[in-house]
Amino acid sequence: MALFKKQSFLLFLVITLSLFFTPNSEPGRHNQHHPHYSHAPPPDRSIIIKPKFSSELLLSTISLPTTPRYSAATPGVGEWSLLQESVGVSAMHMQLLHNNKIVIFDRADFGSSNLSLPAGKCRFDPRAAKHDCTAHSLLYDVDSNTYRPLMVQTDVWCSSGAVNSLGTLVQTGGYHDGYKKIRTFTPCNDDTCDWVELPLNLTVQRWYGSDHILPDDRVIVVGGRRAYSYEFFPNNDNRVFPFPLLKETTDPKEENNLYPFLHLLPDGNLFVFANRRSLLLDYKNDRIVREYPEIPGEKRNYPATGSSVMLPLKLGNSSYPTVEILICGGARGGAYLKALRGRFMAASKSCGRIRVTDPEPVWVMEDMPLRRVMPDMLLLPTGDVIIVNGAARGSAGWECGDEPVLSPVMYYPDEPDPAKRFSALSPSTKPRMYHSAAILLPDGRILVGGSNPHVKYNFTAEKYPTDLSLEAYSPPYLGTEYAHLRPSILSIDGTEDNAVAYGQQFTISFSLGGFQLVPGEYLVTMVAPSFTTHSFAMNQRLLVLYVSAEQQIAPFAYKVTVNAPPTANIAPPGYYMLFVVHQGVPCHSVWIKLHI
Ligand SMILES: *[C@@H]1O[C@H](CO)[C@@H](O)[C@H](O)[C@H]1NC(C)=O
Ligand SMILES: *[C@@H]1O[C@H](CO)[C@@H](O)[C@H](O)[C@H]1NC(C)=O
Ligand SMILES: *[C@@H]1O[C@H](CO)[C@@H](O)[C@H](O)[C@H]1NC(C)=O
Ligand SMILES: *[C@@H]1O[C@H](CO)[C@@H](O)[C@H](O)[C@H]1NC(C)=O
């Protein structure tokens, strides 16, 4: 790539032509050559060549550029758009399913929402309305921007979830009559599907617990208020495993360890983080493999809510890629108790990053440009991390946050210069305080909704009235000025119905909007859709696939051969969004199914 920097017109021409007429590149090239991310300065090319797909490439086909390139200097700040002023339910929990529909739900125990159930449908609510004929859940259709009410029978407040290998949402716990409930939602392509409450129960009540899908398709359910244990679903022998970490990290009166952060590592063990401590759990043998150092600074879990992501797993030919965890935001101990008395302490500004696969890992600390409690952290298809929602003061909890932070912040994990690793983006106009959420959409936008820091819906509250809207944030890479760089997937071959087996090679054909593919400057990524609530995107993971060959098949159209992830520890079976990202600009994803 350095060659391009010399601005040598002829050299560029020669390289372009040789790419053009060499059908297959050497296998493994992209492994040695680490993929470039969006923020990396692009090669300095001063011309765009539009060759005819023939051996006669004439100078007359060369034209000067008219469109800017996606570059660090002018990446843009993105755009907000309002999708729905009100969907009638505040979006506390969100899960994208593989038919581009999103299950959204709030709590169900406070009385009426602003969305009616279909005529004749009501439920008996022992504590609130008695006869509640409103919905507390809905199904939002991304493609048509429409929604319909769903019916939950019991209280799903502050619960958790994971999608299994069949694409069914398994949701666990909640409050009161929902404490031990397990519910499922299986997507359908008509309007018939709805929540199903299973006759089985969790072994203990779990409110504010976290879930993770496992390689064997079970769901592990960890913690919850005064639930210092973990268990599995399905749970054939009704076992529950005591988990001392959770008891040990509970602060008196404040807790600060709820909704523990969970990440499944490629060695099959589960990284668990609570408050400021973390460890590696071998859940198969109920054994602690190792403990990590305490993260410096603030506390990181509810109500001192920060967020956590496992940075992209870059898959070469090894089954054990390096793994880094990034945790950002949170609040100091005592912040919640003070907020209850109307004093809002400054939120955390720091992020800690740790390479958990190192023999002696350490937290490397960095400062965000903005303080944040209740940040939602999402992996973008590019491998970058976006931090949205939340507040600069206080903590999570009713009426406990203040000073909304309206600007998302981007974190570029591969940016070598720490001073350039963060950038602040275009602010929204809507505070997204406690009980708000965000998820990645299949086209690379971020869906943002919720915010209700009050006991009930309150549309006239002086501060932060209940928000029932849905917004989309389009990161800079969706700017029209980058349309010429955007890939679009034409076909996926070597698979049956886009289902791939572990380690299987398959090919992806894609076109670019009138621009040459720059070798080494594209990525093929797979993203697992998260269950997001309370600022933690459970089950979120991003895999950068190993590219073994590339071929040009038409002007501006290419075919790349990739390997599916090698093991279920690296990527549990199920549905993933497959993205091709060229020069930092992702395509609209295609769902692929990874199966045993
Ligand atoms: C919700 O319904 C209430 C009562 O009908 C109404 O006052 C309020 O404006 C509605 N809010 C939204 C955002 O639709
Ligand atoms: C589940 O719990 C409910 C009460 O919360 C109880 O009525 C029901 O019998 C339990 N079901 C099973 C299978 O234990
Ligand atoms: C994996 O890649 C490394 C370097 O890229 C190479 O030396 C090694 O032979 C490869 N191993 C396999 C099993 O392909
Ligand atoms: C809404 O909040 C205000 C305070 O901002 C309070 O006075 C009012 O009673 C609340 N309304 C409801 C319906 O809870």
Side-chain angles (χ1 to χ4, degrees):
M1 294 296 64
L3 291 178
F4 286 110
K5 291 196 173 120
K6 298 203 172 104
Q7 284 192 314
S8 162
F9 170 79
L10 282 174
L11 202 49
F12 179 46
L13 189 61
V14 168
I15 289 171
T16 307
L17 288 173
S18 62
L19 164 76
F20 199 69
F21 295 112
T22 312
N24 281 295
S25 66
E26 340 77 271
R29 163 140 47 112
H30 295 277
N31 194 29
Q32 290 118 38
H33 211 105
H34 247 312
H36 291 221
Y37 287 107
S38 55
H39 60 293
D44 191 4
R45 277 159 291 117
S46 48
I47 54 160
I48 295 175
I49 301 181
K50 295 180 180 164
K52 289 180 186 164
F53 196 60
S54 86
S55 57
E56 285 159 295
L57 184 79
L58 303 173
L59 281 178
S60 63
T61 61
I62 297 168
S63 59
L64 291 172
T66 51
T67 44
R69 266 172 254 120
Y70 195 24
S71 83
T74 53
V77 288
E79 257 179 45
W80 288 88
S81 63
L82 185 64
L83 299 173
Q84 292 287 344
E85 183 60 49
S86 169
V87 290
V89 171
S90 195
M92 189 190 297
H93 315 74
M94 293 190 192
Q95 174 72 58
L96 169 67
L97 302 171
H98 69 271
N99 59 358
N100 293 352
K101 293 184 185 176
I102 298 170
V103 179
I104 295 178
F105 57 100
D106 193 358
R107 33 191 294 234
D109 65 344
F110 63 90
S112 299
S113 75
N114 281 45
L115 179 64
S116 296
L117 285 168
K121 274 194 164 179
C122 299
R123 55 183 260 282
F124 175 71
D125 181 345
R127 280 154 305 136
K130 307 285 181 207
H131 213 59
D132 185 355
C133 305
T134 64
H136 298 284
S137 175
L138 60 106
L139 193 66
Y140 175 75
D141 182 337
V142 180
D143 301 332
S144 63
N145 188 24
T146 57
Y147 57 97
R148 67 176 172 94
L150 297 177
M151 185 158 174
V152 281
Q153 297 287 349
T154 52
D155 198 2
V156 277
W157 182 15
C158 298
S159 59
S160 47
V163 174
N164 70 15
S165 67
L166 301 173
T168 291
L169 169 63
V170 176
Q171 180 273 344
T172 58
Y175 187 60
H176 252 258
D177 60 348
Y179 266 145
K180 291 184 168 186
K181 285 287 172 190
I182 305 164
R183 311 166 186 83
T184 59
F185 185 92
T186 302
C188 60
N189 286 321
D190 53 23
D191 286 347
T192 56
C193 42
D194 210 326
W195 285 98
V196 173
E197 303 232 350
L198 303 188
L200 311 155
N201 295 330
L202 294 169
T203 59
V204 297
Q205 54 191 48
R206 298 196 187 269
W207 189 35
Y208 293 85
S210 294
D211 287 1
H212 206 297
I213 189 72
L214 297 175
D216 61 8
D217 210 25
R218 286 182 301 167
V219 176
I220 187 167
V221 191
V222 181
R225 200 154 234 172
R226 291 183 276 282
Y228 310 121
S229 63
Y230 65 89
E231 63 181 283
F232 300 92
F233 172 79
N235 189 357
N236 298 330
D237 50 8
N238 262 333
R239 282 191 73 183
V240 59
F241 300 85
F243 196 12
L245 174 80
L246 298 176
K247 195 166 203 166
E248 290 159 15
T249 51
T250 297
D251 291 330
K253 297 197 180 126
E254 259 196 351
E255 299 180 301
N256 290 326
N257 71 345
L258 298 179
Y259 278 121
F261 303 142
L262 309 178
H263 300 290
L264 175 71
L265 302 198
D267 67 1
N269 295 314
L270 192 71
F271 174 87
V272 184
F273 182 102
N275 197 325
R276 290 178 54 213
R277 279 176 58 191
S278 52
L279 52 72
L280 198 54
L281 173 68
D282 169 6
Y283 56 82
K284 291 188 217 85
N285 300 301
D286 188 29
R287 187 175 68 91
I288 307 302
V289 179
R290 64 192 300 196
E291 180 139 7
Y292 295 100
E294 273 197 350
I295 193 171
E298 294 83 357
K299 295 168 183 282
R300 311 286 175 170
N301 295 87
Y302 179 93
T305 302
S307 193
S308 176
V309 295
M310 178 167 71
L311 292 178
L313 299 179
K314 294 170 184 168
L315 306 181
N317 60 7
S318 161
S319 295
Y320 300 101
T322 301
V323 184
E324 289 185 278
I325 309 274
L326 178 73
I327 293 180
C328 295
R332 274 159 60 191
Y336 173 68
L337 294 176
K338 286 204 170 70
L340 289 179
R341 285 181 251 114
R343 282 189 52 214
F344 301 99
M345 294 169 82
S348 170
K349 209 174 181 183
S350 72
C351 294
R353 180 167 167 174
I354 188 168
R355 196 173 296 139
V356 290
T357 42
D358 272 6
E360 294 196 21
V362 289
W363 289 98
V364 177
M365 303 305 293
E366 299 178 85
D367 270 348
M368 295 184 279
L370 302 163
R371 302 183 170 279
R372 230 170 189 127
V373 63
M374 300 178 278
D376 273 291
M377 279 167 81
L378 296 174
L379 294 162
L380 295 176
T382 52
D384 299 324
V385 180
I386 191 166
I387 307 172
V388 294
N389 298 346
R393 291 191 167 272
S395 73
W398 284 330
E399 317 293 342
C400 284
D402 208 0
E403 287 185 20
V405 185
L406 299 174
S407 295
V409 163
M410 196 81 93
Y411 179 82
Y412 307 108
D414 286 349
E415 167 57 54
D417 179 357
K420 293 190 192 147
R421 217 167 278 150
F422 289 98
S423 74
L425 303 166
S426 180
S428 68
T429 54
K430 293 179 183 293
R432 298 289 178 182
M433 309 296 278
Y434 186 46
H435 288 158
S436 59
I439 53 171
L440 174 68
L441 294 177
D443 59 7
R445 291 177 301 164
I446 304 295
L447 181 70
V448 174
S451 188
N452 181 27
H454 315 293
V455 179
K456 299 194 166 186
Y457 281 6
N458 189 334
F459 304 103
T460 54
E462 252 168 74
K463 277 188 159 176
Y464 321 124
T466 303
D467 194 301
L468 306 182
S469 70
L470 290 180
E471 283 178 288
Y473 172 71
S474 297
Y477 55 53
L478 291 176
T480 51
E481 64 271 38
Y482 306 125
H484 65 294
L485 299 177
R486 182 163 308 131
S488 100
I489 294 181
L490 304 169
S491 67
I492 296 185
D493 300 303
T495 69
E496 205 169 300
D497 296 331
N498 292 358
V500 294
Y502 286 93
Q504 187 194 326
Q505 281 203 337
F506 62 102
T507 64
I508 304 156
S509 300
F510 61 93
S511 62
L512 295 178
F515 198 81
Q516 292 294 328
L517 185 73
V518 182
E521 294 221 346
Y522 67 93
L523 303 170
V524 179
T525 61
M526 268 171 64
V527 186
S530 66
F531 179 95
T532 300
T533 190
H534 288 75
S535 312
F536 180 47
M538 300 174 202
N539 306 295
Q540 178 175 230
R541 68 204 293 113
L542 186 147
L543 311 145
V544 181
L545 299 189
Y546 179 72
V547 178
S548 60
E550 73 191 23
Q551 185 186 1
Q552 182 156 19
I553 51 173
F556 315 120
Y558 305 84
K559 187 180 203 170
V560 296
T561 305
V562 296
N563 292 1
T567 69
N569 290 342
I570 286 181
Y575 290 89
Y576 291 77
M577 290 175 269
L578 181 82
F579 289 95
V580 177
V581 183
H582 176 235
Q583 293 216 315
V585 181
C587 66
H588 189 301
S589 64
V590 168
W591 288 97
I592 61 163
K593 187 182 183 187
L594 196 52
H595 64 81
I596 303 281

